[in-house]
Amino acid sequence: MTIKNNIVSISDGHNCGFVVYDKTKDKFLHYEMEKICGIKNMRVFQVTPYHGFYYSALSNIESGNHPSQRTSNYKNYIWFAKQVMDIVESLDLKGETELLFNEREGIDPRNPHGMTIMDYCYDVYPKKDYIVLIKQMLHHQAHAASAFYQSPYNRAFALTVDGGSHEGNGASHLCDENGIERIKQWNLGGGALFNHFTWPIAAISLSSKESLDWAGKVMGLSAYGKHNQLLYSRIKAVFLKKMTITHAMAFIRSVLDPTANILDDVLVVSPGGAVIGGQRKTPKVEEWVDLRDTIRNCHGFLESEPHVKDIVLRLEELSEQLAFVKDIEKAQDLAYNLQKAFENFMIALVRDNMDHIKSMDNNLVLTGGCALNVLANQRIREEYPDINVFVPPNPNDIGLAYGYLRSHMSTEHGYEKKTPNMQYHGQEIQDSGLVHKRDYKITTYEHVAELLKEGKIIGCINGGHELGPRALGNRSIICDPSYPNMKDILNAKVKNREWYRPFAPVCKREDAEKYFESVSFDNMDYMSFACKTRDIYVKDLAAVTHVDGTARLQTITKDLNPFLYSILDAFDGV
């Protein structure tokens, strides 16, 4: 099916971005605002200057070129609209162009200016007429479409689990040449509950101002913990909605901190800012709620900034009291049991939908933010080795713009073409023309391999940026993993992150079985699964083998990334 017009699809929540379909080239171009502006999990839909417990505005830079959580919604929208329209205009698309807005994403009823993203786009770039399409598109259906059309399958069952939306935090779909069909949606345990249970872990919640990053930290820390049936059973009960999170948290606190007064437990407020129940609210919680409401009344503007800053500082003080697990061994145990409860929750979802999976040729597509949990993904493979499992490179909300676009193209134009291997369809290098002004020299793959074997750490920049949150070779840091202290050097001096965070190996697809163990090496292109390093190579791959023996492997082929493949060929290893 030929598409008549170019289409620009826009998503403006957290992990915002847009996707351009160029009809002449029949190609999709992805633009992730985080990678353009340098703000992690970039949000344009910023209702207040205080997001949940966090006030990352205090550390974000504010300039005329970049938005921050300190600027108003209006300024953020204007900045975002200008980025979208400047890039669209620079592409010199042939023919008419449609601007596709999702009604929920594109119209913010809390926006004090009463404007839509569409209005902002016209405000900043009025010189060209566009065909405007405003549609209601379902959040989880967009996730399913984004993942399915990137998958190698013609038919698949798509399972979406994330932090939540107006539809709940999970849904299932049947996907084939006829499009995406909703089967069921639910509101059981998902990413939001995972974060609720992470809040007490001071080593995570107090060190990171961004809750969307917490799950990855829990995965890393969980490998150091041990099973505790009391903790595990309470967390599992909450995931299955057999116990309120308030009661479970009170119980967990009594296990990890026997001196705690459960009646004074303040964990009746979620990390997202909502009061989620409980038998009694202490004055501390009531104060927190009052202060939060005061912040919300600012409507995204900081005319009274000194006053707001005082409130934020008090909120941070209360927040620190909620992070009651300070002991690292207890934190490790909580992380371990949280991770295991989540894995088993995901296993149960797959088991309950096995008839649907079998009806779709045993093909399962996992998506939504929770599909970034590589340990759960691997467990599903191990528990059900007869089914094929695919996770796209962008299962989180950065994939929504593409999902909205593909849903629209399917329902309105009958466009069902699959687009696998799009992981490098991001924005191209913007300053490559300035290389001649810098101190540089031409090198060879063999020389790069020699530098790696000498212990050098090398940054790679090549082609379009990767889709999704993981560095897959075009914007990557590479090193020789045989150096036993390399992980600590990278964490402490390069990445500036926690000591327990593992790094991912990359190898040629044909070499994967030599170095690693897995029930399947299919669809390992995006670091979506955690296989085991073979015992004989654990020492040689020390920097990329976690304490539990797992490795978040990425495999590549010469066709997918000839640049990185050639480096590996010269390096002759992982």
Side-chain angles (χ1 to χ4, degrees):
M1 174 67 69
T2 302
I3 304 297
K4 180 180 177 181
N5 298 321
N6 307 299
I7 308 173
V8 180
S9 174
I10 302 171
S11 173
D12 68 343
H14 67 76
N15 298 103
C16 61
F18 62 101
V19 177
V20 178
Y21 173 71
D22 185 336
K23 69 165 187 175
T24 303
K25 300 177 181 178
D26 191 26
K27 184 176 181 180
F28 298 90
L29 306 171
H30 297 247
Y31 298 89
E32 302 178 5
M33 301 313 293
E34 171 183 313
K35 292 167 184 171
I36 293 174
C37 73
I39 296 178
K40 192 74 185 278
N41 303 311
M42 170 65 193
R43 298 170 175 82
V44 175
F45 196 106
Q46 190 66 30
V47 180
T48 76
Y50 184 82
H51 182 73
F53 278 128
Y54 330 112
Y55 190 61
S56 49
L58 296 177
S59 58
N60 279 341
I61 62 170
E62 184 175 12
S63 70
N65 297 323
H66 295 75
S68 77
Q69 313 294 36
R70 296 184 67 182
T71 58
S72 67
N73 283 347
Y74 176 75
K75 291 180 181 178
N76 278 3
Y77 272 115
I78 286 292
W79 181 90
F80 181 54
K82 190 174 189 308
Q83 298 301 311
V84 173
M85 301 309 294
D86 281 353
I87 290 174
V88 170
E89 286 290 318
S90 71
L91 295 174
D92 193 26
L93 300 172
K94 307 301 181 185
E96 292 186 305
T97 298
E98 301 174 356
L99 297 183
L100 178 64
F101 303 94
N102 180 24
E103 184 170 359
R104 180 170 176 81
E105 298 286 344
I107 300 177
D108 176 4
R110 293 163 291 190
N111 182 350
H113 287 260
M115 297 173 69
T116 68
I117 290 182
M118 175 186 70
D119 296 320
Y120 292 123
C121 287
Y122 280 120
D123 265 13
V124 300
Y125 230 109
K127 73 177 187 180
K128 184 173 181 179
D129 291 331
Y130 291 90
I131 300 170
V132 176
L133 302 173
I134 300 179
K135 301 185 64 178
Q136 279 191 327
M137 292 173 283
L138 298 175
H139 180 94
H140 290 298
Q141 184 170 322
H143 273 309
S146 178
F148 172 65
Y149 288 111
Q150 294 183 73
S151 78
Y153 312 136
N154 292 322
R155 307 172 75 239
F157 177 79
L159 188 62
T160 300
V161 184
D162 65 10
S165 73
H166 57 291
E167 304 171 52
N169 54 31
S172 57
H173 298 82
L174 299 181
C175 310
D176 58 21
E177 67 276 4
N178 297 314
I180 312 295
E181 178 187 354
R182 169 69 58 86
I183 299 299
K184 186 180 180 181
Q185 68 184 58
W186 59 84
N187 199 28
L188 292 172
L193 281 182
F194 198 98
N195 274 358
H196 295 344
F197 281 113
T198 306
W199 181 258
I201 303 176
I204 294 177
S205 63
L206 297 185
S207 67
S208 173
K209 298 294 185 182
E210 178 52 80
S211 64
L212 292 174
D213 296 336
W214 287 2
K217 299 174 189 288
V218 170
M219 280 188 283
L221 190 61
S222 68
Y224 296 88
K226 58 184 182 298
H227 181 73
N228 182 311
Q229 185 60 30
L230 293 175
L231 294 178
Y232 171 81
S233 63
R234 271 29 179 214
I235 297 171
K236 180 180 178 181
V238 175
F239 272 104
L240 299 177
K241 283 203 162 182
K242 294 181 179 180
M243 176 181 285
T244 68
I245 191 169
T246 301
H247 288 99
M249 278 295 193
F251 183 87
I252 288 171
R253 185 165 189 173
S254 71
V255 172
L256 297 177
D257 184 6
T259 65
N261 182 350
I262 296 178
L263 288 179
D264 285 335
D265 176 40
V266 296
L267 284 169
V268 296
V269 179
S270 77
V275 178
I276 52 179
Q279 300 299 312
R280 168 183 171 184
K281 284 190 272 187
T282 69
K284 290 180 182 178
V285 171
E286 291 172 349
E287 179 188 0
W288 191 95
V289 173
D290 289 342
L291 293 174
R292 180 204 60 188
D293 290 344
T294 300
I295 289 287
R296 284 183 170 174
N297 290 334
C298 293
H299 297 297
F301 294 90
L302 296 183
E303 287 86 359
S304 58
E305 184 171 332
H307 175 60
V308 172
K309 187 172 182 180
D310 289 342
I311 294 175
V312 169
L313 292 175
R314 176 57 182 154
L315 282 168
E316 290 184 342
E317 180 183 338
L318 295 175
S319 300
E320 186 163 356
Q321 295 173 19
L322 302 182
F324 61 82
V325 183
K326 303 290 198 299
D327 180 86
I328 189 61
E329 291 188 7
K330 292 178 180 179
Q332 292 165 0
D333 290 349
L334 180 52
Y336 176 92
N337 289 280
L338 172 56
Q339 175 62 35
K340 291 304 178 185
F342 177 76
E343 290 175 18
N344 290 332
F345 169 76
M346 292 296 295
I347 293 291
L349 282 180
V350 174
R351 182 186 64 238
D352 294 345
N353 287 284
M354 190 55 66
D355 288 343
H356 287 307
I357 296 171
K358 289 180 179 179
S359 74
M360 304 307 282
D361 301 334
N362 268 4
N363 296 327
L364 171 64
V365 169
L366 296 173
T367 187
C370 291
L372 292 172
N373 194 306
V374 298
L375 298 175
N377 298 344
Q378 186 70 21
R379 277 283 310 281
I380 291 171
R381 271 191 162 171
E382 293 170 353
E383 294 284 338
Y384 302 105
D386 294 332
I387 67 174
N388 309 304
V389 185
F390 173 81
V391 181
N394 52 349
N396 59 339
D397 280 13
I398 194 58
L400 287 178
Y402 180 66
Y404 293 143
L405 177 56
R406 291 311 307 264
S407 293
H408 168 71
M409 294 173 75
S410 173
T411 57
E412 300 299 325
H413 301 286
Y415 185 98
E416 298 293 340
K417 181 179 177 180
K418 301 303 292 296
T419 53
N421 304 323
M422 285 203 309
Q423 62 265 46
Y424 304 118
H425 279 213
Q427 191 174 31
E428 294 287 331
I429 300 170
Q430 297 300 292
D431 59 352
S432 57
L434 301 177
V435 169
H436 65 281
K437 296 183 178 181
R438 296 170 179 167
D439 183 15
Y440 78 97
K441 58 183 176 181
I442 303 297
T443 187
T444 64
Y445 295 120
E446 288 73 20
H447 183 226
V448 171
E450 290 174 5
L451 293 174
L452 291 172
K453 290 178 180 179
E454 292 172 6
K456 298 293 191 295
I457 298 170
I458 299 175
C460 296
I461 303 175
N462 177 55
H465 72 62
E466 300 92 333
L467 305 191
R470 288 170 178 147
L472 302 174
N474 277 14
R475 305 290 188 275
S476 292
I477 297 170
I478 59 174
C479 61
D480 183 347
S482 66
Y483 285 81
N485 62 340
M486 186 61 77
K487 186 191 82 167
D488 296 333
I489 293 173
L490 287 171
N491 273 329
K493 297 183 178 181
V494 180
K495 298 283 285 184
N496 296 314
R497 64 182 194 175
E498 298 85 357
W499 58 270
Y500 54 81
R501 303 283 296 280
F503 287 89
V506 57
C507 74
K508 296 186 290 186
R509 186 177 293 175
E510 60 266 31
D511 291 341
E513 197 166 353
K514 173 183 176 181
Y515 297 102
F516 303 98
E517 297 176 358
S518 179
V519 294
S520 172
F521 288 98
D522 292 341
N523 305 320
M524 288 269 196
D525 306 321
Y526 314 130
M527 300 182 188
S528 300
F529 302 90
C531 57
K532 289 279 188 179
T533 301
R534 292 191 179 276
D535 290 342
I536 59 172
Y537 288 108
V538 167
K539 183 177 180 180
D540 291 338
L541 303 179
V544 293
T545 301
H546 202 29
V547 66
D548 59 356
T550 61
R552 181 164 43 95
L553 176 64
Q554 175 196 2
T555 62
I556 63 165
T557 65
K558 191 170 186 177
D559 290 338
L560 284 178
N561 194 324
F563 170 75
L564 187 56
Y565 187 94
S566 297
I567 292 176
L568 285 168
D569 215 22
F571 185 75
D572 190 25
V574 179

